[in-house]
Amino acid sequence: MKMISIAEDFSPSPAGRTRADGPFNGQRFRDEFLIPALRIAVDEGDKVVVNLDGAYSYSSSFLEEVFGGIVRFGKFPPAVLTTRLEIRSTNPVYASFRRDAEKYLSDALKLAGKYVTA
Amino acid sequence: VGNAWFDLLKIVITAILSAGLSGIWVSRWKASLDHAEKRIDDLCAEISKLADLASEYWLLAQTDDKVPVLQARITSGMVRMASIRVSLTKLVRGLQAPRIEELEQGFFRAATGSEFAVHNRPISPSNAAAAQHAASALIVCIRSARMEAIQRTWLPKV
């Protein structure tokens, strides 16, 4: 299991969507951390856990860019994302951020499913 | 005569001790209720303040000088708000209810979703209004949970 802590491995204060919004944006985390880790996990039959604990805070737009964006831009089949990607928080203070991220992921997967079946 | 005085003394001492212990118990109960009320008020005030900051943010251009600090105050305030709520769950039943957690998440999304912190985002009166609506819904739900908790039990949670 590959564990990525956003606060420790990326930045304790992530913000923004794209590279134009600042150095620790969602697009950068998705493209440079999450997608490579997921590729390795798929090859090795493993799982990636993204841990939200420890950051100063998150904006909902950052979480959407990462977890909605992984569906739109990651080129992973939906089954891979549902089985090989886990969003985690052990500190209850971060539970709402975790639920928000999970909702963005599931909403994007639903939307992707609609496009596939249409 | 001696025994009668001794029995009377026992009754008086028992009565004094009972009254004293009841007094302590009642004041501790009242203190726990007051503490919970004060913390609920703090939580609701924090939510209202955050909603106002979010509305101000969405009505300013991203290039405005105030925006970087506003962004930081809003996002750090969300963690502060969640911390207060989590610490209160030990005192007030119902603050961990799925509906409150869902509304808290909705408020976070209304305040900092969409194009929040995006360099060329447009001014958005609709997002400014959405933050106020989401905050109101959350406050109403928290106050209702508190009322239900009081009505459900008379026992103090000290």
Side-chain angles (χ1 to χ4, degrees), chain B residues 25-46:
Chain B
W25 187 83
V26 167
S27 29
R28 286 196 69 185
W29 175 53
K30 182 71 170 62
S32 79
L33 282 181
D34 290 347
H35 179 65
E37 290 306 324
K38 173 77 172 60
R39 298 288 288 159
I40 290 274
D41 287 346
D42 289 347
L43 176 60
C44 293
E46 189 71 38

Side-chain angles (χ1 to χ4, degrees), chain A residues 58-61 97 100 104, chain B residues 46-59 70-71 73-75 77-78 81 103-117 121 124 126-135 138:
Chain A
Y58 294 95
S59 64
S60 196
S61 58
F97 296 121
D100 202 25
Y104 279 129
Chain B
E46 189 71 38
I47 296 166
S48 292
K49 191 174 84 181
L50 265 180
D52 290 345
L53 289 174
S55 295
E56 187 183 352
Y57 169 84
W58 286 110
L59 294 174
L70 262 181
Q71 276 179 196
R73 288 180 71 191
I74 293 164
T75 51
M78 292 193 318
M81 182 190 120
L103 286 170
E104 183 180 83
Q105 180 204 329
F107 176 55
F108 287 176
R109 197 177 273 211
T112 69
S114 180
E115 303 297 303
F116 186 87
R121 71 161 172 88
S124 174
S126 62
N127 284 352
Q132 295 293 329
H133 292 310
L138 180 56

Side-chain angles (χ1 to χ4, degrees), chain B:
Chain B
V1 176
N3 274 348
W5 274 108
F6 184 66
D7 288 344
L8 185 63
L9 194 64
K10 275 200 294 189
I11 291 167
V12 169
I13 289 172
T14 308
I16 290 170
L17 280 175
S18 302
L21 287 173
S22 306
I24 291 169
W25 187 83
V26 167
S27 29
R28 286 196 69 185
W29 175 53
K30 182 71 170 62
S32 79
L33 282 181
D34 290 347
H35 179 65
E37 290 306 324
K38 173 77 172 60
R39 298 288 288 159
I40 290 274
D41 287 346
D42 289 347
L43 176 60
C44 293
E46 189 71 38
I47 296 166
S48 292
K49 191 174 84 181
L50 265 180
D52 290 345
L53 289 174
S55 295
E56 187 183 352
Y57 169 84
W58 286 110
L59 294 174
L60 290 172
Q62 188 66 18
T63 49
D64 193 287
D65 289 345
K66 280 184 176 176
V67 160
V69 176
L70 262 181
Q71 276 179 196
R73 288 180 71 191
I74 293 164
T75 51
S76 60
M78 292 193 318
V79 170
R80 198 165 53 243
M81 182 190 120
S83 303
I84 295 173
R85 185 182 63 78
V86 168
S87 69
L88 266 176
T89 54
K90 291 171 193 151
L91 274 175
V92 182
R93 282 187 196 146
L95 283 186
Q96 268 178 321
R99 179 69 184 140
I100 288 188
E101 293 181 345
E102 192 182 296
L103 286 170
E104 183 180 83
Q105 180 204 329
F107 176 55
F108 287 176
R109 197 177 273 211
T112 69
S114 180
E115 303 297 303
F116 186 87
V118 169
H119 70 289
N120 56 354
R121 71 161 172 88
I123 286 170
S124 174
S126 62
N127 284 352
Q132 295 293 329
H133 292 310
S136 290
L138 180 56
I139 289 170
V140 165
C141 201
I142 287 169
R143 296 273 188 211
S144 303
R146 177 62 186 145
M147 286 310 296
E148 278 172 28
I150 288 174
Q151 284 163 3
R152 202 179 300 133
T153 178
W154 289 94
L155 293 175
K157 290 176 276 298
V158 181

